[in-house]
């Protein structure tokens, strides 16, 4: 479920996005996750199939997903090319495009 930005939520009728967790890393900032969305999303002039998620709150860990817990995250859309590269979760050069916040919750 996402909560912001409003225009993206309105465009998607505030419906939950579904996807598959492809990869996780741990770091000093709570880690990151690479997620492939079940359906591509259009935003601006681009189409996104993959997002990189990282915890929004200090002390949260992306690894909490493995324990069935919900994690509030910032999510950044990345290109298919980046998602398939060795630096898939490196969003340090991100300067615009699709980004949103919301909860990631594992489905049993």
């Amino acid at each position: 479920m996402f909560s912001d930005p409003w225009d993206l939520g309105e465009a998607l009728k505030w419906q939950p996005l579904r996807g598959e967790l492809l990869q996780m890393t741990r770091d000093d900032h709570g880690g990151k996750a690479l997620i492939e969305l079940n359906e591509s999303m259009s935003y601006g002039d681009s189409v996104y199939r993959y997002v990189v998620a990282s915890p929004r709150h200090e002390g949260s860990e992306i690894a909490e997903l493995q324990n069935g817990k919900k994690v509030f995250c910032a999510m950044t859309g990345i290109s298919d090319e980046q998602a398939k590269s060795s630096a898939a979760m490196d969003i340090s050069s991100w300067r615009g495009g699709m980004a949103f916040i919301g909860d990631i919750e594992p489905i049993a």
Side-chain angles (χ1 to χ4, degrees), residues 6-94:
W6 188 264
D7 61 333
L8 180 60
E10 287 293 304
L12 298 173
K13 299 182 173 97
W14 298 104
Q15 294 299 307
L17 303 174
R18 300 202 184 278
E20 180 180 352
L21 177 65
L22 300 177
Q23 185 180 354
M24 276 194 319
T25 62
R26 293 178 186 247
D27 62 26
D28 294 338
H29 303 288
K32 291 182 183 150
L34 176 62
I35 299 168
E36 180 179 8
L37 301 173
N38 289 356
E39 295 182 27
S40 297
M41 293 175 43
S42 295
Y43 188 74
D45 295 333
S46 299
V47 176
Y48 299 92
R49 179 88 180 178
Y50 299 90
V51 297
V52 174
S54 56
R56 205 60 185 142
H57 295 146
E58 189 173 325
S60 291
E61 297 282 333
I62 203 75
E64 293 174 39
L65 294 171
Q66 292 175 313
N67 298 326
K69 294 184 180 178
K70 186 180 342 183
V71 180
F72 186 59
C73 290
M75 290 168 260
T76 304
I78 62 169
S79 68
D80 291 1
E81 294 79 23
Q82 181 174 344
K84 295 171 183 164
S85 76
S86 61
M89 291 188 276
D90 180 4
I91 54 172
S92 61
S93 63
W94 185 83

